[in-house]
Amino acid sequence: MNFILPTSVKAIYGFIYSLFWVFVPIFLAEQGFSGYHIGLFIGIANFMAIITTLPAGIANDRIKSKKMILYAIIFSSLYYVGLLTITNAIILAFVFICGGLGRNLFNVSIDSLAYRSLDRKKTPTQLGKYVSFVVFAEIIGFMIGGNIINSYGFDNTLKVIIIMLIITGFASLFLPITHTFKFKLFEYKKDIFRKEVLMFIAVVFLFTLHYGAEATSYSLFLKTRFALNMGEIGMFIGGAVIFLALSALYYSKKIARGFDPKYVFYIGLIFSGIGHVVFALQQDVIFAFIIRCIHEWGDGAMIFSIFYGIVRIFKIERIGGNASFITFTQILGSSVAAFIFGPVGEYFGYNVPLFITGITTFCSFLLLYHLEKRTLRKA
């Protein structure tokens, strides 16, 4: 029961977030903002997440996570209220600061609580369900969000989101209370500066570059290349992401039966990278959807692998702080890519950021494979 509650709350938040986030570039473009502004706003949100990730992780080792989750929901609510009411670019930048802080604080805190609620004998299957259940909720959000926006407009969708976040805040009060610990910072440093952890971090960074490209260019690519409306964009994205959830569930069960987790990393990086490259070249929407499903299958394997890797390489007592280093890496990769690919997409085509980050994802597979082989030769 303890693990079901954080899974449910994260799924509800994921559903709410997915109603709108992929359409943010389109929303901003319709407000008259340039590709530079779009990249800047999303980059600011990610930058705020960067500078707060490590403190948030360490705070979750010292302060009860359910309290941190409530604070996160308050910041998220301010973000959506700002999107609804503010059009001034300078003030809107502060709104995106609230958005980045709220989403990141929520994810760091809910994941920390979930790690501590795991049954150690069922870790792979529970993590697989955690990832897949949340993703399925996000899929529904993509599909419903696109249709709500298409039918009722951005403003009404934002009003619904704000009401749902208030309800989620009340639901978070029923989350389990976790134990807290206090450690000196050098203990976290010893955990992180190990060869296998640094290798893990390097691969995660390269992989998550494609998140920033997607945040600034994915929905605009679908709109401009295939002339899809909001509802169709939501259906396209949500339908493909089903394969992400199925992949996480499939590989979690494979690992529980003894499959080597290393190969799940390889599969995830290959499918994600090649899938993104080929997807960016498509002219036919049907074939583009098929290729996108292949990419999402790879993403599912990788996302599960990241969660599973965190549980395997870090001690549970410091998992909040240590896991936040991995989250920090993911946000850094996404932020760097958002700052770069916002204007790149506008000037060179929205497929270009997707193509480039598909290559960097595949390069992360080559890096991992090379480091693994070199380690084996030295052993």
Side-chain angles (χ1 to χ4, degrees), residues 243 271-272 275 289-299:
F243 286 84
F271 276 59
S272 178
F289 179 76
I290 293 170
I291 298 300
R292 187 68 196 183
C293 292
I294 294 171
H295 167 79
E296 298 293 356
W297 183 269
D299 274 5

Side-chain angles (χ1 to χ4, degrees), residues 55-240:
I58 294 170
N60 270 274
D61 289 335
R62 298 170 177 237
I63 302 170
K64 292 177 175 59
S65 294
K66 65 182 293 182
K67 189 178 292 185
M68 306 290 286
I69 290 165
L70 183 58
Y71 298 153
I73 292 171
I74 292 170
F75 278 110
S76 295
S77 300
L78 292 174
Y79 165 67
Y80 288 108
V81 170
L83 288 180
L84 181 63
T85 59
I86 295 168
T87 56
N88 179 276
I90 295 174
I91 301 175
L92 201 57
F94 287 98
V95 169
F96 274 87
I97 287 174
C98 287
L101 176 59
R103 176 156 172 76
N104 188 57
L105 182 58
F106 178 87
N107 283 332
V108 170
S109 301
I110 196 72
D111 288 345
S112 177
L113 192 149
Y115 292 138
R116 290 189 166 94
S117 303
L118 282 168
D119 181 338
R120 296 298 144 187
K121 296 178 181 178
K122 302 176 182 177
T123 293
T125 52
Q126 283 191 334
L127 282 176
K129 290 175 182 177
Y130 183 68
V131 173
S132 59
F133 189 66
V134 170
V135 170
F136 276 123
E138 291 173 345
I139 290 166
I140 298 170
F142 288 136
M143 293 179 173
I144 294 176
N147 283 291
I148 291 175
I149 293 169
N150 209 39
S151 301
Y152 302 104
F154 284 113
D155 285 2
N156 288 324
T157 305
L158 286 167
K159 291 172 185 176
V160 169
I161 288 172
I162 293 164
I163 292 168
M164 293 182 69
L165 275 173
I166 293 170
I167 296 170
T168 307
F170 283 109
S172 71
L173 299 175
F174 297 95
L175 288 166
I177 297 172
T178 52
H179 296 292
T180 57
F181 306 88
K182 290 187 178 181
F183 297 99
K184 295 180 180 178
L185 291 179
F186 83 89
E187 294 182 79
Y188 292 102
K189 182 179 178 181
K190 285 196 302 183
D191 292 337
I192 294 297
F193 285 92
R194 291 180 287 151
K195 186 184 296 183
E196 67 272 22
V197 177
L198 294 175
M199 183 193 307
F200 183 59
I201 288 171
V203 171
V204 169
F205 176 80
L206 288 173
F207 171 73
T208 50
L209 288 173
H210 90 274
Y211 290 173
E214 288 176 341
T216 58
S217 304
Y218 184 16
S219 59
L220 287 166
F221 172 69
L222 294 177
K223 182 182 179 183
T224 56
R225 175 65 64 89
F226 304 116
L228 301 183
N229 63 34
M230 299 299 181
E232 290 167 342
I233 289 172
M235 294 296 288
F236 186 105
I237 294 171

Side-chain angles (χ1 to χ4, degrees), residues 361-375:
T361 298
F362 188 74
C363 285
S364 65
F365 156 70
L366 297 177
L367 173 66
L368 179 62
Y369 183 78
H370 171 72
L371 292 173
E372 285 278 357
K373 289 295 182 185
R374 194 172 72 175
T375 301

Side-chain angles (χ1 to χ4, degrees), residues 49-51 53-54 104 323-333:
I50 287 172
I51 64 175
T53 294
L54 299 181
N104 188 57
S324 70
F325 278 91
I326 308 304
T327 304
F328 171 82
T329 302
Q330 292 175 290
I331 296 168
L332 182 63

